[in-house]
Amino acid sequence: GGGGGGGGGNGSGGGGSGAPKDDGSSASSAARRTIPAGLIVERLRAHASDSVYISSFLDAAPLQAMLLDERLRRLLCMRSRVKEVSEASSMCEAVRSLAGAERMSSGGEGMVVFDVCSGKGLGATLLSFLLPRGRVVMLDSNGGMDLSHLRARPNLSFRHVDLFSADTPAVLREEAAGASYVVAVGMHLCGALSPRLIDLAVAGGTIDAMALCPCCLKGAHGKAVARSAAERSVEPYAVLVETLQAICEREIEAAAAGGGARSRVGVWTDREMLSPKNRYITVQKWAADKAAPDVALCQACA
């Protein structure tokens, strides 16, 4: 768990992620080969009916740009590409819904999006296409990944960050300097990474909105989730989401007591994501003298 697509990264401390397997052409190999563009399209097209995200991606400009640039094409060479594309596309939909129509119509002008525990950043790369006038910043504790594709996307960057470091809030403030709207998104974060992201999003003053799609909890929290799920005869993932939602609500209550911005929590399911772990916990903040922002979800995410 932990990674917005492309694999290879983690957030340190709370459970990392292994890199997806390549089709016999690992980007970390000396040759750094990629598989043919036609083969990538063929294998995606075979799953076009599985999700609207896959069928839409096949007809979208980002795929064509990625196929033409070997640095970007490497992000689509893993065997898990279909699942990864659906997750990355889901991230884009989450950010779109939080940003709102006005910001999206400007190409994300003034926005900064943090892809937390990004891995190599397939999700971040698609976000860079979605928000051509915004900035996307990948955050990961793995500084040894092949990130040559960043040179192909001028609004995409990487920061080598341990999410649990005391320096992380300062890194977020630095990267978000001058931004009018800041979103943090975390895809399939494991262990303590999810509560840490919630803390950074709610208690800190940098992030305006958060979209968290969790993977699991470990340690005491994980055991409590498993016990509760068994006692109630429900899926552990449902209890996990409830637990993280409750953490958000407690953090928001504490922040409000300290004079912080008004916030609200949302929970929704993205049925087009090709993963059983497809629920988001969202947080949105707004100033006390402003009306609560609208959230427009696509049909798949309602």
Side-chain angles (χ1 to χ4, degrees):
N10 62 68
S12 183
S17 65
K21 295 179 180 178
D22 287 344
D23 288 314
S25 55
S26 171
S28 62
S29 69
R32 296 171 64 191
R33 295 165 297 169
T34 62
I35 64 176
L39 186 55
I40 292 173
V41 172
E42 176 186 324
R43 293 181 177 177
L44 286 170
R45 200 171 297 283
H47 295 273
S49 62
D50 295 352
S51 166
V52 68
Y53 290 142
I54 305 303
S55 57
S56 298
F57 184 63
L58 281 162
D59 296 325
L63 174 59
Q64 306 312 314
M66 294 177 73
L67 293 176
L68 290 171
D69 191 312
E70 185 175 348
R71 297 166 298 182
L72 295 171
R73 193 162 74 243
R74 291 191 194 105
L75 295 173
L76 298 172
C77 287
M78 61 284 202
R79 290 175 184 161
S80 58
R81 74 177 63 79
V82 173
K83 175 176 177 290
E84 299 272 352
V85 166
S86 79
E87 292 170 356
S89 300
S90 178
M91 285 174 57
C92 289
E93 186 57 44
V95 170
R96 189 199 310 271
S97 68
L98 291 170
E102 185 175 348
R103 292 188 186 92
M104 294 307 304
S105 66
S106 72
E109 184 175 7
M111 285 184 62
V112 169
V113 178
F114 293 112
D115 181 1
V116 179
C117 307
S118 63
K120 291 181 181 177
L122 176 56
T125 299
L126 294 194
L127 283 167
S128 76
F129 284 100
L130 179 69
L131 305 168
R133 301 182 69 182
R135 291 196 302 114
V136 182
V137 183
M138 298 160 51
L139 305 176
D140 204 281
S141 68
N142 183 354
M145 298 179 286
D146 173 15
L147 298 175
S148 58
H149 58 282
L150 268 63
R151 292 193 287 275
R153 301 301 304 157
N155 62 335
L156 179 61
S157 61
F158 174 82
R159 288 296 296 263
H160 185 195
V161 173
D162 178 346
L163 206 63
F164 296 95
S165 169
D167 296 330
T168 299
V171 171
L172 298 179
R173 287 193 298 271
E174 177 186 338
E175 290 292 342
S180 60
Y181 194 68
V182 181
V183 180
V185 59
M187 175 58 68
H188 291 162
L189 303 193
C190 282
L193 291 169
S194 289
R196 175 57 172 164
L197 175 55
I198 292 169
D199 181 59
L200 290 168
V202 176
T206 301
I207 295 169
D208 298 302
M210 177 201 79
L212 166 63
C213 183
C215 176
C216 61
L217 282 176
K218 299 180 180 180
H221 273 308
K223 291 177 182 177
V225 164
R227 283 196 302 271
S228 178
E231 291 167 0
R232 295 163 52 188
S233 299
V234 298
E235 288 293 323
Y237 191 65
V239 180
L240 165 65
V241 172
E242 290 176 4
T243 301
L244 293 171
Q245 180 182 0
I247 291 173
C248 284
E249 290 168 348
R250 288 198 299 270
E251 292 265 6
I252 286 172
E253 185 177 348
R262 297 167 66 191
S263 305
R264 70 177 172 201
V265 181
V267 176
W268 48 275
T269 302
D270 188 343
R271 293 181 293 275
E272 294 295 330
M273 189 197 304
L274 298 178
S275 169
K277 297 179 177 181
N278 60 353
R279 302 199 75 187
Y280 282 91
I281 301 103
T282 61
V283 171
Q284 285 182 290
K285 299 178 184 176
W286 66 95
D289 60 343
K290 302 291 185 181
D294 294 327
V295 180
L297 299 178
C298 68
Q299 281 190 328
C301 308

